[in-house]
Amino acid sequence: MGRPVRRRLHPEARRLEIVEAAERLLQAHGPRVRVEDVVREAGVAKGTFFLYFPTWDDLLDTVRQRLVAEFDAASPLPTEVDGPIDWMALLDLHAAAYIDFASARQGIGQALFHSDFAERRSQADNAVVRLSAVIRAGQEAEAFGPVDPEPTALLLFAALDEAARAVAGGRDREAIVAALRLLLRRTLAP
Amino acid sequence: MGRPVRRRLHPEARRLEIVEAAERLLQAHGPRVRVEDVVREAGVAKGTFFLYFPTWDDLLDTVRQRLVAEFDAASPLPTEVDGPIDWMALLDLHAAAYIDFASARQGIGQALFHSDFAERRSQADNAVVRLSAVIRAGQEAEAFGPVDPEPTALLLFAALDEAARAVAGGRDREAIVAALRLLLRRTLAP
Amino acid sequence: MGRPVRRRLHPEARRLEIVEAAERLLQAHGPRVRVEDVVREAGVAKGTFFLYFPTWDDLLDTVRQRLVAEFDAASPLPTEVDGPIDWMALLDLHAAAYIDFASARQGIGQALFHSDFAERRSQADNAVVRLSAVIRAGQEAEAFGPVDPEPTALLLFAALDEAARAVAGGRDREAIVAALRLLLRRTLAP
Amino acid sequence: MGRPVRRRLHPEARRLEIVEAAERLLQAHGPRVRVEDVVREAGVAKGTFFLYFPTWDDLLDTVRQRLVAEFDAASPLPTEVDGPIDWMALLDLHAAAYIDFASARQGIGQALFHSDFAERRSQADNAVVRLSAVIRAGQEAEAFGPVDPEPTALLLFAALDEAARAVAGGRDREAIVAALRLLLRRTLAP
DNA sequence: AATGAATGAGGTTTCATTCAT
DNA sequence: TATGAATGAAACCTCATTCAT
């Protein structure tokens, strides 16, 4: 078999390797992934895992943070106004981006947001918070109608997330996106 | 000593006792319930459980079917037309009914639809099928606008379900119901 | 290898088998014994162990109780007075009995009373309580001198226990017993 | 970055730092102390620990030797005779000194003498050897009676040690010391 | 001489499922 | 039909020790 070579790495590099191995497996197999699997994929000993993540849930927390950061980096909200924002178009864009992003990471999403882990770590759901902020901003710009921002954001995000899952499940992306767009536009129309 | 009290029961009755015990516990403790707990609550031996449900998931399937049937019985759709139907009002009514029904059964819902079980048994989701049928019917009556029924039903149901979870989680029922009603009416408006 | 035959036993019998297996191993190897070892010796599956002893420490508790009960049964204190008691002779007898009993079970004693388990479960030390009661009774019969019963019992029992360990460790039993007898007699002499 | 501050120290000094760190922690937390804790307290890398102590038990050995030496330095036996020794008074003094010393170091005592380590490294018990020498000397001076020195020293030391533990455990020091004094005096009386 | 990342053999505990009675 | 004792494959986590740097 050849004894496993002990590769000494900078902690951040090793940590990254473990996280990335976990992401690959979570993506492929969802919540079924175990510590055992991750360490095999990462090519490290079991103890090494717990050196970096005291708990399995700590790893999942890290994966979630990376996921959020990755999406934010890929689809930043416009922070500086270089002219008037087309809020409806912005919403369309982001919805489509979210669907593509999340449906391409369905396994991870499953493991993070629709498993027992989600129950343990009730996420602050900043996705919803963000969405409600957007709604509010759109309302101030008189681009959106008089909906109640928080509850509406909650419900719209549920629809958005379901859309992503549906696309990941093989349903016709165009039809889903179109339906979602209609739902968003009509709900938020002035 | 204490020879086992062997309560001979009609199989249907025995099966029912187990299911009802499971429902009580799932409602109270969600996905954490174990076979052990159910048999204790039902006053039945462990082996007996597997006599009626070859697998734990089979029990959950049964619970789910009963849940659906219960809701259908409590909130039947109008099948015979005794005059013109107010589709929008019907939708409002059903949405509120669903929220109240599901939020009062949050524990079960969690165990059935938002745990690892949900991933294993991808539900035929006849709730969505039903909703899309309603949309279609409403469209034929020209009460609803030209949305794509299936994808729209999928997304609306996600919002509906999220609304129920939010209410179960302690959020202001009136605000949630109002937001949902707006979302439904605007999305489906002609 | 032949598949392991599944032997169904009355719970008390099975529990006893496990305890006795544990006692054999503890006797032979002291505190080094693990659950793994016990189940192998008892010929049961690992899960069976935890069916009867939710925790490893629970097993040790049981072993300790049995140990105490066994000694009490083998060397009962005279409860009914059929004439005047020779307290000094009684003490001699019990001391020798304790030494022989405990030194023959050195491994178990080690595991129970001189390991980390002893630290976790600080035993009510009823051996000491018993000894102080004997001292008190002897004092009332004017067979013992005016020592302070509780502290003296504590110290004498420590000497007694050390004697047992010494004998178990291979030191000359007669010399140890003689020294202990002298120590007891002189300390408690009127 | 932050290149490791490599404090070059004289080996003896470095070794001492580690031992003293260990002593502090053992005193405070008993047998629960881990290598990890010691190196953190000592401000030293893990590998450095094993440079000086091939094994955890080697550290404990060192701690024990230092403990003994410390007591000897604090309570030296009279080596030169500047007149006749009051052996009984000497014994009283040393017993009280031992109790105070050992009860103030209960954590270390626990870790060294009443844990699994004690089983692995059966101590040469020079405390007992020393005590038996004292007994012998006292006998030669006709201050002590005709007890068998070695076994008696063994038993008396056990009582002595138990006394220290009792005091450390919060029991009334005066009562314990008094009982011990009586026990010693009576046992060794001519 | 010093570092600290990496190791991996344990260790306890859980629980759906099996099967002798 | 019914029982409940028995199973054993996971699962998570610890920590003394090793070794590449």
Side-chain angles (χ1 to χ4, degrees), chain D residues 55-185:
Chain D
T55 275
W56 173 253
D57 280 7
D58 291 325
L59 168 72
L60 293 185
D61 277 335
T62 300
V63 170
R64 190 180 60 205
Q65 288 164 20
R66 281 170 49 88
L67 201 68
V68 170
E70 189 188 357
F71 180 68
D72 286 355
S75 305
L77 285 176
T79 51
E80 301 188 19
V81 184
D82 328 82
I85 297 178
D86 180 342
W87 288 95
M88 278 299 178
L90 179 76
L91 218 57
D92 280 354
L93 231 63
H94 261 71
Y98 182 84
I99 288 180
D100 293 336
F101 182 86
S103 65
R105 286 163 186 76
Q106 177 57 8
I108 295 187
Q110 191 81 299
L112 293 182
F113 305 116
H114 302 276
S115 72
D116 300 347
F117 168 70
E119 194 211 8
R120 291 191 294 269
R121 294 279 220 267
S122 71
Q123 11 255 354
D125 246 12
N126 59 3
V128 171
V129 170
R130 195 105 46 84
L131 183 50
S132 71
V134 170
I135 292 175
R136 232 183 265 281
Q139 284 175 333
E140 275 168 25
E142 295 187 355
F144 294 157
V147 299
D148 191 355
E150 276 83 28
T152 301
L154 191 72
L155 304 184
L156 289 180
F157 181 75
L160 185 50
D161 197 53
E162 182 66 27
R165 299 178 75 186
V167 169
R171 300 189 60 153
D172 177 15
R173 180 186 177 283
E174 295 318 312
I176 297 284
V177 168
L180 180 65
R181 173 172 306 187
L182 205 78
L183 190 153
L184 288 171
R185 285 185 170 263

Side-chain angles (χ1 to χ4, degrees), chain C residues 6 8 34-35 46-47 50 54-56:
Chain C
R6 186 185 280 212
R8 192 196 183 94
R34 302 164 294 124
V35 171
K46 224 175 209 172
F50 290 96
T55 276
W56 172 252

Side-chain angles (χ1 to χ4, degrees), chain C:
Chain C
M1 283 295 187
R3 84 176 37 156
V5 181
R6 186 185 280 212
R7 298 176 308 125
R8 192 196 183 94
L9 250 54
H10 187 84
E12 293 189 13
R14 178 46 49 92
R15 191 184 158 92
L16 190 62
E17 283 197 356
I18 295 174
V19 172
E20 286 177 345
E23 286 176 349
R24 282 193 298 278
L25 293 176
L26 286 171
Q27 171 55 19
H29 306 108
R32 232 182 292 201
V33 179
R34 302 164 294 124
V35 171
E36 176 74 26
D37 304 321
V38 173
V39 300
R40 196 186 309 115
E41 173 83 9
V44 300
K46 224 175 209 172
T48 305
F49 178 92
F50 290 96
L51 210 55
Y52 291 96
F53 303 98
T55 276
W56 172 252
D57 279 9
D58 290 328
L59 168 71
L60 293 185
D61 277 335
T62 300
V63 170
R64 189 180 61 205
Q65 287 164 19
R66 280 170 51 89
L67 201 68
V68 171
E70 191 188 355
F71 180 69
D72 287 354
S75 305
L77 286 177
T79 50
E80 302 187 17
V81 185
D82 329 80
I85 297 179
D86 181 343
W87 287 95
M88 280 298 179
L90 179 75
L91 219 56
D92 280 354
L93 230 64
H94 261 72
Y98 182 84
I99 288 180
D100 292 337
F101 182 87
S103 64
R105 287 162 185 78
Q106 177 57 6
I108 295 187
Q110 193 80 288
L112 293 183
F113 305 116
H114 302 277
S115 72
D116 301 347
F117 169 71
E119 199 202 6
R120 288 192 295 272
R121 296 275 219 268
S122 74
Q123 11 255 357
D125 245 11
N126 59 3
V128 171
V129 171
R130 197 105 46 88
L131 182 51
S132 71
V134 170
I135 292 176
R136 234 183 264 280
Q139 285 175 330
E140 274 167 28
E142 297 186 354
F144 294 156
V147 298
D148 192 355
E150 275 83 29
T152 302
L154 191 73
L155 304 183
L156 290 180
F157 183 75
L160 184 51
D161 198 52
E162 183 64 28
R165 300 176 76 182
V167 170
R171 302 188 61 152
D172 176 14
R173 180 186 176 284
E174 294 319 311
I176 296 283
V177 168
L180 180 65
R181 173 172 306 188
L182 206 78
L183 191 155
L184 288 171
R185 286 187 168 262
R186 289 186 151 218
T187 300
L188 295 176

Side-chain angles (χ1 to χ4, degrees), chain A residues 6 8 34-35 46-47 50 54-56:
Chain A
R6 186 186 280 212
R8 192 195 182 94
R34 302 163 296 124
V35 172
K46 223 178 210 170
F50 290 98
T55 278
W56 173 251

Side-chain angles (χ1 to χ4, degrees), chain B residues 76-113:
Chain B
L77 287 176
T79 51
E80 300 187 17
V81 184
D82 328 79
I85 296 178
D86 181 344
W87 287 95
M88 279 298 178
L90 178 77
L91 218 56
D92 281 352
L93 229 64
H94 260 73
Y98 182 85
I99 287 179
D100 292 336
F101 181 86
S103 65
R105 286 163 186 76
Q106 178 56 9
I108 296 187
Q110 191 81 297
L112 293 182
F113 305 117

